[in-house]
Every structure is written in structure tokens, then in C-alpha cells.
Amino acid sequence: MNQPNKKVICITGASSGFGTATAKKFIQNGWNCIITGRRQERLESLAKELGEENTLTLAFDVTDNKAVEKNLSNLPEKFSKISVLVNNAGLALGLEPAQRCDLQDWETMIDTNIKGLLYCTRLLLPKMIKQEEGHIINLGSVAATNPYFGGNTYGATKAFVRQFSRNLRTDLHGTGLRVTNIEPGLAESEFSIVRFKGDKEKADNLYKGAHPITPNDIADMIYWVATTPKHININNIEVMPTSQSWSPLQVYKS
């Protein structure tokens, strides 16, 4: 049965990891869900699992502004009033030092982690302001403030996400809209498989024995943030597994 009053969440990068877990969490709690990603087959499979009557699949690449506009501008009425946008689509590529990195990897991270987030946010903000309800939840990283070897451009893109989230919240002062930046540390998903370009063994070794954050952990946080009372804004959450902490500063001796 159609329930037009059900709240709607839009999740980018929903075909795996944090995005998939978040979609499941919100559907289980009675929301309608727009799931986006580049992989149509995965989205369709997830929609069948979640229940197609409550799920809208949109296959597009967030780095393509025209595709973002085409897909998110003309939504079916049931999904047209988006209460929450989760900017989850993002990636890290490589762990090489800056002087040996692949420049294309840098460009891909900038296009996805920064431009993709901007395109989706900018398109939906006016609608949220008009409906006097909306929450932008960005997926950042502890890499925004904690440099590590090979983190160069990835960390820089997440520093952008952190500062953009803070400035966005300032711009939206008085509108009633909310903005949250969630910054996970070591988390096990397909993230590291992508980073190591399909080398699953290398990715698995990174997590072995570390008891990392799981996608369900992040989904629980996103749900909590989105369902706090409207007069509460969670500005930023930085979260690490208990096994992870900060490294000492490096000192080179000649």
C-alpha cells in the first residue's frame, strides 16, 4: 500500500559497503529509499532484497553533473520529498607517495569525493529549503585531520568534506536544515579492495585481527544522527575501532 507520508532518504554509492548497510537500516525502520550508484545490477538486486515498493534505484555516476541533474530532478511523487541526503559515494586509490602516484587516481578521487558530493548537495538544497526540512549527511574520514603515508590526495579530499560541511551548516543558518559530517577510521568494506585495485588478499591483510568498524556500525550512526530531534544538529562524528589510535610524529635523522 502506498504510504505518501513515509520519509525519504537518498543514498549515493548504495551498491556496496556503508551505502548498502544504510539503505537496509532505513528500510527496516519504515523509510522510503532512493539508492544510487554506478552498478545497475547491484542496485536492482538490493532493491529486490529491500522491497521494490519502497525503493527507487537510480544508476548514474555522481561525477557527471548532467547525470545527477537528470536523475534527481524529476523524481516520482512518492520519492520527491527527500528528507535526508547521504553523500556516501567516495573512494581511495593507491597508497603510493605523492612523487610516485598515478595522477589519474588523484583526479578520480577529486571528481568523486569532492565534485560528486557538491553536485548532489547543490541540486537538492533548494528543494530542502523550500520544504523546510532536510539533512545533509556527508561521509568524511579521520584522514581529514590525521595524515598518513600515501594518504596525500585522499586525505585532502576528506579535509574538503570536513570544511565544506562546516561552511554549509553556516550558510544554512536559520533554514532549519541540518548538516553532519561522519568521519570513520579503519572500516572493513569494499573500500580497501578498490584502493588496492582488486587485490583482495592485500585488503584482507589490512583488517586481519584489527576488529575494524563495519558497515552496520556506520549505518547505525547515520540512522541515529538522522533521527535525533529536529532541534539537535550533530556537527561531526569521528570514530575509530578500539584497535586504532594515532601514530607518533615521524623524525628523520641524517
Side-chain angles (χ1 to χ4, degrees), residues 226-243:
T227 56
T228 53
K230 286 187 177 181
H231 69 284
I232 299 294
N233 189 95
I234 308 299
N235 296 328
N236 195 81
I237 296 178
E238 182 182 277
V239 54
M240 294 180 180
T242 307
S243 62

Side-chain angles (χ1 to χ4, degrees), residues 91-96 100-106 108-109 190-203:
L91 77 169
L93 293 172
L95 269 176
E96 294 79 16
R100 295 206 304 270
C101 75
D102 184 332
L103 186 59
Q104 181 59 54
D105 286 349
W106 279 10
T108 300
M109 286 186 280
E190 290 186 22
F191 178 86
S192 287
I193 296 176
V194 173
R195 163 164 257 171
F196 297 127
K197 301 184 177 179
D199 190 334
K200 189 175 185 303
E201 182 179 357
K202 196 171 184 179

Side-chain angles (χ1 to χ4, degrees), residues 1-253:
M1 183 173 66
N2 187 16
Q3 295 177 282
N5 294 324
K6 291 176 71 174
K7 286 196 171 186
V8 178
I9 182 171
C10 177
I11 305 166
T12 67
S15 60
S16 65
F18 298 162
T20 294
T22 301
K24 291 178 180 179
K25 181 72 176 181
F26 279 79
I27 287 289
Q28 289 166 2
N29 284 277
W31 288 57
N32 285 333
C33 193
I34 302 170
I35 51 175
T36 85
R38 292 174 300 154
R39 294 171 286 192
Q40 179 72 44
E41 290 183 2
R42 282 206 182 191
L43 293 174
E44 290 176 353
S45 176
L46 179 59
K48 289 179 181 178
E49 181 182 349
L50 298 176
E52 293 175 302
E53 69 279 6
N54 299 318
T55 310
L56 176 66
T57 63
L58 298 175
F60 63 90
D61 188 336
V62 295
T63 68
D64 183 342
N65 191 28
K66 290 184 178 179
V68 171
E69 184 174 359
K70 178 182 177 181
N71 281 275
L72 294 180
S73 291
N74 299 296
L75 297 167
E77 183 178 355
K78 183 177 178 179
F79 296 93
S80 61
K81 186 179 178 181
I82 296 173
S83 296
V84 178
L85 167 64
V86 179
N87 281 311
N88 170 69
L91 77 169
L93 293 172
L95 269 176
E96 294 79 16
Q99 66 272 23
R100 295 206 304 270
C101 75
D102 184 332
L103 186 59
Q104 181 59 54
D105 286 349
W106 279 10
E107 292 178 342
T108 300
M109 286 186 280
I110 291 169
D111 288 345
T112 307
N113 301 354
I114 296 179
K115 291 183 180 179
L117 180 148
L118 293 180
Y119 295 157
C120 294
T121 301
R122 181 62 183 85
L123 183 72
L124 294 180
L125 272 181
K127 298 177 183 179
M128 288 182 168
I129 292 172
K130 186 176 181 179
Q131 70 195 23
E132 299 181 331
E133 181 187 18
H135 194 162
I136 307 295
I137 301 177
N138 296 324
L139 264 295
S141 169
V142 297
T145 49
N146 299 286
Y148 59 88
F149 183 87
N152 40 70
T153 296
Y154 174 72
T157 64
K158 292 305 182 178
F160 175 93
V161 173
R162 166 180 270 243
Q163 194 61 18
F164 177 71
S165 299
R166 295 171 68 89
N167 279 279
L168 181 60
R169 175 140 161 66
T170 304
D171 287 348
L172 295 173
H173 181 74
T175 65
L177 270 64
R178 301 191 288 177
V179 182
T180 301
N181 181 36
I182 298 179
E183 299 182 318
L186 185 68
E188 185 171 12
S189 64
E190 290 186 22
F191 178 86
S192 287
I193 296 176
V194 173
R195 163 164 257 171
F196 297 127
K197 301 184 177 179
D199 190 334
K200 189 175 185 303
E201 182 179 357
K202 196 171 184 179
D204 288 344
N205 286 335
L206 179 66
Y207 302 119
K208 190 175 181 180
H211 307 289
I213 297 167
T214 70
N216 286 337
D217 294 329
I218 298 300
D220 288 344
M221 292 176 204
I222 292 172
Y223 184 77
W224 173 69
V225 162
T227 56
T228 53
K230 286 187 177 181
H231 69 284
I232 299 294
N233 189 95
I234 308 299
N235 296 328
N236 195 81
I237 296 178
E238 182 182 277
V239 54
M240 294 180 180
T242 307
S243 62
Q244 186 180 32
S245 61
W246 299 276
S247 298
L249 293 175
Q250 300 181 92
V251 177
Y252 175 74
K253 297 181 179 180

